[in-house]
Protein backbone atom coordinates (compact mmCIF):
# COMPACT_ATOMS: atom_id res chain seq x y z
CA UNK A 1 0.00 0.00 0.00
CA UNK A 2 1.23 3.49 -0.80
CA UNK A 3 2.34 5.29 2.31
CA UNK A 4 2.69 9.05 2.23
CA UNK A 5 6.13 10.37 3.19
CA UNK A 6 6.30 11.94 6.63
CA UNK A 7 8.42 14.71 5.08
CA UNK A 8 6.64 17.75 3.67
CA UNK A 9 7.58 20.10 0.85
CA UNK A 10 8.61 23.70 1.58
CA UNK A 11 5.21 24.87 0.29
CA UNK A 12 3.40 22.45 2.61
CA UNK A 13 5.42 23.66 5.59
CA UNK A 14 4.52 27.26 4.70
CA UNK A 15 0.84 26.23 4.77
CA UNK A 16 1.33 25.33 8.42
CA UNK A 17 2.42 28.82 9.48
CA UNK A 18 -1.08 30.34 9.66
CA UNK A 19 -2.79 27.49 11.58
CA UNK A 20 0.16 27.59 13.99
CA UNK A 21 -0.28 31.31 14.59
CA UNK A 22 -4.04 30.92 15.02
CA UNK A 23 -3.44 28.17 17.59
CA UNK A 24 -1.00 30.46 19.44
CA UNK A 25 -3.55 33.30 19.36
CA UNK A 26 -6.26 31.02 20.77
CA UNK A 27 -4.04 30.14 23.74
CA UNK A 28 -3.16 33.84 24.14
CA UNK A 29 -6.92 34.50 24.40
CA UNK A 30 -7.35 31.81 27.06
CA UNK A 31 -4.27 32.60 29.20
CA UNK A 32 -5.56 35.80 30.90
CA UNK A 33 -8.89 34.09 31.67
CA UNK A 34 -7.25 31.38 33.79
CA UNK A 35 -8.16 32.77 37.20
CA UNK A 36 -10.31 31.90 40.20
CA UNK A 37 -14.06 31.91 39.51
CA UNK A 38 -13.84 31.17 35.79
CA UNK A 39 -15.36 27.93 34.49
CA UNK A 40 -13.41 25.66 32.18
CA UNK A 41 -16.26 25.96 29.66
CA UNK A 42 -15.62 29.73 29.50
CA UNK A 43 -12.01 29.02 28.55
CA UNK A 44 -13.28 26.71 25.80
CA UNK A 45 -15.64 29.39 24.45
CA UNK A 46 -12.84 31.98 24.31
CA UNK A 47 -10.59 29.65 22.32
CA UNK A 48 -13.37 28.72 19.92
CA UNK A 49 -14.35 32.37 19.32
CA UNK A 50 -10.76 33.31 18.49
CA UNK A 51 -10.34 30.38 16.10
CA UNK A 52 -13.61 31.13 14.28
CA UNK A 53 -12.73 34.86 14.09
CA UNK A 54 -9.63 33.94 12.09
CA UNK A 55 -11.60 31.87 9.58
CA UNK A 56 -10.30 28.60 11.00
CA UNK A 57 -11.95 25.69 12.79
CA UNK A 58 -11.17 23.72 15.94
CA UNK A 59 -9.38 20.50 15.04
CA UNK A 60 -10.20 19.04 18.46
CA UNK A 61 -13.86 19.08 17.37
CA UNK A 62 -12.82 16.89 14.43
CA UNK A 63 -11.60 14.16 16.80
CA UNK A 64 -14.22 11.41 16.95
CA UNK A 65 -16.40 11.71 20.03
CA UNK A 66 -14.95 15.06 21.17
CA UNK A 67 -17.09 18.20 21.02
CA UNK A 68 -14.88 20.87 22.56
CA UNK A 69 -12.15 23.24 21.35
CA UNK A 70 -9.67 22.74 24.18
CA UNK A 71 -8.68 20.11 26.67
CA UNK A 72 -8.32 21.58 30.15
CA UNK A 73 -6.66 19.49 32.84
CA UNK A 74 -6.60 20.67 36.46
CA UNK A 75 -4.26 19.58 39.32
CA UNK A 76 -3.91 15.75 39.26
CA UNK A 77 -5.39 15.69 35.75
CA UNK A 78 -2.52 15.73 33.23
CA UNK A 79 -4.14 15.72 29.77
CA UNK A 80 -7.46 15.29 27.94
CA UNK A 81 -9.66 16.99 30.57
CA UNK A 82 -13.08 18.00 29.19
CA UNK A 83 -14.31 21.61 29.62
CA UNK A 84 -17.43 21.90 31.74
CA UNK A 85 -18.99 23.55 34.77
CA UNK A 86 -15.89 23.17 36.96
CA UNK A 87 -14.89 26.57 38.35
CA UNK A 88 -11.19 27.27 38.81
CA UNK A 89 -9.98 27.84 42.37
CA UNK A 90 -7.00 29.73 43.78
CA UNK A 91 -3.82 27.66 43.49
CA UNK A 92 -5.10 25.36 40.72
CA UNK A 93 -2.53 24.23 38.14
CA UNK A 94 -4.29 24.31 34.77
CA UNK A 95 -3.04 22.82 31.49
CA UNK A 96 -4.81 23.94 28.31
CA UNK A 97 -4.31 22.10 25.00
CA UNK A 98 -5.70 23.61 21.79
CA UNK A 99 -5.46 23.33 18.02
CA UNK A 100 -6.72 25.01 14.87
CA UNK A 101 -7.18 23.77 11.33
CA UNK A 102 -6.86 26.40 8.59
CA UNK A 103 -7.16 25.69 4.87
CA UNK A 104 -6.60 22.01 5.52
CA UNK A 105 -3.49 22.32 7.73
CA UNK A 106 -3.15 21.98 11.49
CA UNK A 107 -1.57 23.52 14.58
CA UNK A 108 -1.41 21.98 18.07
CA UNK A 109 -0.05 23.56 21.27
CA UNK A 110 -0.47 23.46 25.04
CA UNK A 111 0.36 25.68 28.02
CA UNK A 112 0.20 25.37 31.80
CA UNK A 113 -0.82 28.24 34.12
CA UNK A 114 -1.05 28.34 37.94
CA UNK A 115 -3.95 30.36 39.39
CA UNK A 116 -2.59 32.82 41.99
CA UNK A 117 -3.27 32.01 45.65
CA UNK A 118 -1.84 34.55 48.13
CA UNK A 119 -2.86 32.30 51.03
CA UNK A 120 -0.80 29.33 49.85
CA UNK A 121 2.54 30.58 48.47
CA UNK A 122 4.21 27.19 49.02
CA UNK A 123 1.63 25.36 46.91
CA UNK A 124 1.87 27.97 44.15
CA UNK A 125 5.69 27.82 44.16
CA UNK A 126 5.63 24.02 43.90
CA UNK A 127 3.18 24.04 41.02
CA UNK A 128 4.93 26.87 39.19
CA UNK A 129 8.16 24.93 39.43
CA UNK A 130 6.47 21.86 37.90
CA UNK A 131 5.20 24.00 35.02
CA UNK A 132 8.61 25.67 34.56
CA UNK A 133 10.39 22.30 34.49
CA UNK A 134 7.88 20.90 31.98
CA UNK A 135 8.17 23.93 29.71
CA UNK A 136 11.96 23.78 30.01
CA UNK A 137 11.95 20.14 28.90
CA UNK A 138 9.82 21.13 25.88
CA UNK A 139 12.34 23.79 24.80
CA UNK A 140 15.23 21.40 25.40
CA UNK A 141 13.49 18.89 23.13
CA UNK A 142 12.82 21.53 20.47
CA UNK A 143 16.45 22.66 20.63
CA UNK A 144 17.53 19.04 20.10
CA UNK A 145 15.54 19.02 16.83
CA UNK A 146 17.92 21.70 15.54
CA UNK A 147 21.05 19.61 16.06
CA UNK A 148 20.08 15.92 16.33
CA UNK A 149 19.81 13.59 13.34
CA UNK A 150 17.11 11.23 14.66
CA UNK A 151 13.91 11.85 16.63
CA UNK A 152 14.99 9.42 19.36
CA UNK A 153 17.48 12.05 20.50
CA UNK A 154 14.61 14.46 21.19
CA UNK A 155 13.07 12.01 23.65
CA UNK A 156 16.43 11.26 25.24
CA UNK A 157 17.04 15.00 25.66
CA UNK A 158 13.65 15.56 27.30
CA UNK A 159 14.22 12.68 29.72
CA UNK A 160 17.74 13.88 30.56
CA UNK A 161 16.41 17.39 31.20
CA UNK A 162 13.71 16.10 33.55
CA UNK A 163 16.12 13.82 35.40
CA UNK A 164 18.54 16.71 35.88
CA UNK A 165 15.83 18.73 37.68
CA UNK A 166 15.02 16.29 40.42
CA UNK A 167 14.64 16.11 43.26
CA UNK A 168 12.83 19.44 43.31
CA UNK A 169 14.36 22.15 45.50
CA UNK A 170 10.86 23.22 46.51
CA UNK A 171 9.08 19.92 47.14
CA UNK A 172 11.90 17.35 47.34
CA UNK A 173 10.01 15.25 44.78
CA UNK A 174 11.35 13.77 41.59
CA UNK A 175 9.35 14.17 38.41
CA UNK A 176 7.53 11.56 36.38
CA UNK A 177 7.21 11.39 32.58
CA UNK A 178 3.98 9.96 31.17
CA UNK A 179 4.75 6.90 29.03
CA UNK A 180 1.39 6.07 27.46
CA UNK A 181 0.97 9.46 25.75
CA UNK A 182 3.48 10.98 23.32
CA UNK A 183 3.95 13.66 20.68
CA UNK A 184 3.34 13.16 16.96
CA UNK A 185 3.78 14.30 13.41
CA UNK A 186 1.39 17.04 12.30
CA UNK A 187 0.19 18.31 8.94
CA UNK A 188 -3.05 17.73 7.05
CA UNK A 189 -4.10 15.77 10.12
CA UNK A 190 -3.48 16.85 13.68
CA UNK A 191 -2.08 13.43 14.54
CA UNK A 192 0.25 11.86 11.99
CA UNK A 193 3.28 9.55 12.03
CA UNK A 194 5.88 9.53 13.49
CA UNK A 195 5.48 9.30 17.26
CA UNK A 196 7.65 11.70 19.26
CA UNK A 197 8.57 10.14 22.59
CA UNK A 198 9.34 12.14 25.71
CA UNK A 199 11.79 9.51 26.97
CA UNK A 200 14.64 7.31 25.81
CA UNK A 201 13.64 4.44 23.52
CA UNK A 202 15.64 1.55 22.03
CA UNK A 203 14.98 2.84 18.50
CA UNK A 204 16.70 5.82 16.88
CA UNK A 205 13.36 6.99 15.50
CA UNK A 206 12.75 8.84 12.25
CA UNK A 207 15.48 10.84 10.59
CA UNK A 208 15.38 14.56 11.34
CA UNK A 209 15.65 16.37 8.02
CA UNK A 210 13.94 19.20 6.11
CA UNK A 211 10.22 18.58 5.74
CA UNK A 212 9.64 17.10 9.20
CA UNK A 213 6.79 18.73 11.16
CA UNK A 214 6.16 17.45 14.68
CA UNK A 215 4.24 18.31 17.83
CA UNK A 216 6.51 17.85 20.85
CA UNK A 217 4.54 17.61 24.10
CA UNK A 218 6.08 16.51 27.39
CA UNK A 219 3.51 15.49 30.04
CA UNK A 220 5.20 15.64 33.43
CA UNK A 221 4.02 14.88 36.98
CA UNK A 222 5.34 15.94 40.36
CA UNK A 223 5.28 12.29 41.36
CA UNK A 224 4.71 8.93 39.71
CA UNK A 225 4.31 8.11 36.03
CA UNK A 226 1.23 5.91 36.36
CA UNK A 227 -2.08 7.32 35.09
CA UNK A 228 -5.66 6.18 34.61
CA UNK A 229 -8.58 7.39 32.49
CA UNK A 230 -11.47 8.86 34.49
CA UNK A 231 -15.07 7.68 34.13
CA UNK A 232 -15.69 10.37 31.48
CA UNK A 233 -13.53 8.18 29.16
CA UNK A 234 -11.18 11.10 28.39
CA UNK A 235 -9.50 12.71 31.38
CA UNK A 236 -6.06 11.26 32.19
CA UNK A 237 -5.17 11.59 35.89
CA UNK A 238 -2.24 10.48 38.02
CA UNK A 239 -2.76 7.34 40.11
CA UNK A 240 -0.88 8.84 43.07
CA UNK A 241 -2.78 12.14 42.89
CA UNK A 242 0.35 14.15 42.12
CA UNK A 243 0.04 17.30 40.00
CA UNK A 244 0.49 17.25 36.22
CA UNK A 245 1.75 19.77 33.65
CA UNK A 246 1.61 19.71 29.85
CA UNK A 247 3.41 21.98 27.39
CA UNK A 248 3.38 21.56 23.60
CA UNK A 249 4.52 23.23 20.40
CA UNK A 250 4.29 22.33 16.71
CA UNK A 251 7.69 22.68 15.03
CA UNK A 252 8.89 22.57 11.41
CA UNK A 253 12.34 21.46 10.24
CA UNK A 254 13.39 23.07 6.96
CA UNK A 255 16.49 23.81 4.89
CA UNK A 256 17.26 26.94 6.90
CA UNK A 257 16.82 25.37 10.36
CA UNK A 258 13.81 25.00 12.66
CA UNK A 259 10.77 27.21 13.21
CA UNK A 260 8.25 26.87 16.04
CA UNK A 261 4.94 27.22 14.21
CA UNK A 262 2.84 27.80 17.34
CA UNK A 263 4.98 30.66 18.71
CA UNK A 264 4.67 34.15 17.24
CA UNK A 265 8.47 34.59 17.48
CA UNK A 266 9.20 31.17 15.99
CA UNK A 267 10.51 30.07 19.38
CA UNK A 268 13.31 32.66 19.60
CA UNK A 269 12.72 33.49 23.28
CA UNK A 270 12.40 29.87 24.43
CA UNK A 271 15.37 28.63 22.41
CA UNK A 272 17.81 31.42 23.31
CA UNK A 273 19.09 29.67 26.45
CA UNK A 274 19.96 26.64 24.32
CA UNK A 275 21.94 28.70 21.81
CA UNK A 276 19.48 27.98 18.98
CA UNK A 277 18.15 30.73 16.71
CA UNK A 278 15.01 29.78 14.78
CA UNK A 279 14.93 30.49 11.03
CA UNK A 280 11.69 31.68 9.36
CA UNK A 281 10.24 29.52 6.60
CA UNK A 282 11.34 31.17 3.35
MG1 LIG B 1 -2.19 19.16 21.82
MG1 LIG C 1 -0.52 17.02 20.27
Amino acid sequence: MFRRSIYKTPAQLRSMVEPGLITAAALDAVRPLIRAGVSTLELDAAANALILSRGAESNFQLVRGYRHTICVSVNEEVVHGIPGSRVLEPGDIVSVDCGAQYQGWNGDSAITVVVPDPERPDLVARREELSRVTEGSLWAGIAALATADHLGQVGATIQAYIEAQGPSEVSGETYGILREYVGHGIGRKMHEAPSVFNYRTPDDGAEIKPGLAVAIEPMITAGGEATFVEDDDWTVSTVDGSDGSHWEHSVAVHEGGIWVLTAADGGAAGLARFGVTPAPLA
Side-chain angles (χ1 to χ4, degrees):
M1 195 173 85
F2 173 77
R3 191 156 176 276
R4 193 190 323 191
S5 168
I6 62 170
Y7 302 100
K8 295 168 174 72
T9 67
Q12 289 174 325
L13 291 180
R14 281 194 298 276
S15 300
M16 298 183 67
V17 170
E18 191 60 21
L21 291 173
I22 295 169
T23 300
L27 287 171
D28 284 345
V30 170
R31 194 181 280 105
L33 301 178
I34 301 176
R35 52 177 198 260
V38 175
S39 78
T40 54
L41 205 52
E42 290 174 82
L43 306 182
D44 191 73
N48 198 45
L50 188 291
I51 289 170
L52 294 177
S53 78
R54 298 280 289 263
E57 64 183 319
S58 159
N59 50 20
F60 282 31
Q61 292 180 25
L62 302 174
V63 174
R64 184 182 295 270
Y66 201 76
R67 300 198 309 274
H68 297 283
T69 301
I70 63 172
C71 288
V72 52
S73 307
V74 182
N75 299 341
E76 79 283 2
E77 301 170 356
V78 192
V79 288
H80 300 172
I82 306 174
S85 56
R86 180 175 189 160
V87 173
L88 298 179
E89 297 181 8
D92 279 349
I93 180 169
V94 184
S95 297
V96 177
D97 191 354
C98 184
Q101 183 174 95
Y102 180 76
Q103 295 184 355
W105 294 89
N106 288 276
D108 187 8
S109 183
I111 60 172
T112 296
V113 176
V114 179
V115 179
D117 185 353
E119 317 245 299
R120 292 185 294 175
D122 292 353
L123 175 76
V124 169
R126 209 162 64 229
R127 288 178 163 171
E128 285 185 338
E129 185 186 48
L130 170 63
S131 176
R132 195 162 54 244
V133 164
T134 307
E135 186 185 11
S137 76
L138 168 62
W139 288 112
I142 295 171
L145 256 196
T147 52
D149 46 26
H150 286 84
L151 267 180
Q153 292 162 264
V154 171
T157 299
I158 291 171
Q159 181 172 348
Y161 184 95
I162 293 296
E163 287 171 349
Q165 309 303 312
S168 156
E169 287 177 19
V170 180
S171 66
E173 290 161 332
T174 53
Y175 297 101
I177 303 173
L178 264 60
R179 304 285 162 157
E180 296 98 328
Y181 304 90
V182 299
H184 48 91
I186 182 166
R188 286 212 173 267
K189 290 194 287 190
M190 178 166 57
H191 296 127
E192 298 184 349
S195 292
V196 182
F197 297 96
N198 298 308
Y199 46 87
R200 277 185 286 273
T201 56
D203 290 343
D204 284 346
E207 189 182 354
I208 297 170
K209 62 179 187 179
L212 188 69
V214 288
I216 303 177
E217 50 178 318
M219 291 154 261
I220 307 298
T221 77
E225 297 170 349
T227 58
F228 69 100
V229 178
E230 304 264 7
D231 288 341
D232 61 17
D233 286 339
W234 285 99
T235 309
V236 175
S237 297
T238 56
V239 169
D240 63 8
S242 60
D243 296 326
S245 173
H246 179 209
W247 281 86
E248 176 178 25
H249 274 303
S250 302
V251 190
V253 180
H254 61 105
E255 290 290 350
I258 66 167
W259 186 252
V260 179
L261 297 158
T262 44
D265 68 351
L271 290 166
R273 59 192 270 216
F274 298 97
V276 173
T277 305
L281 288 144

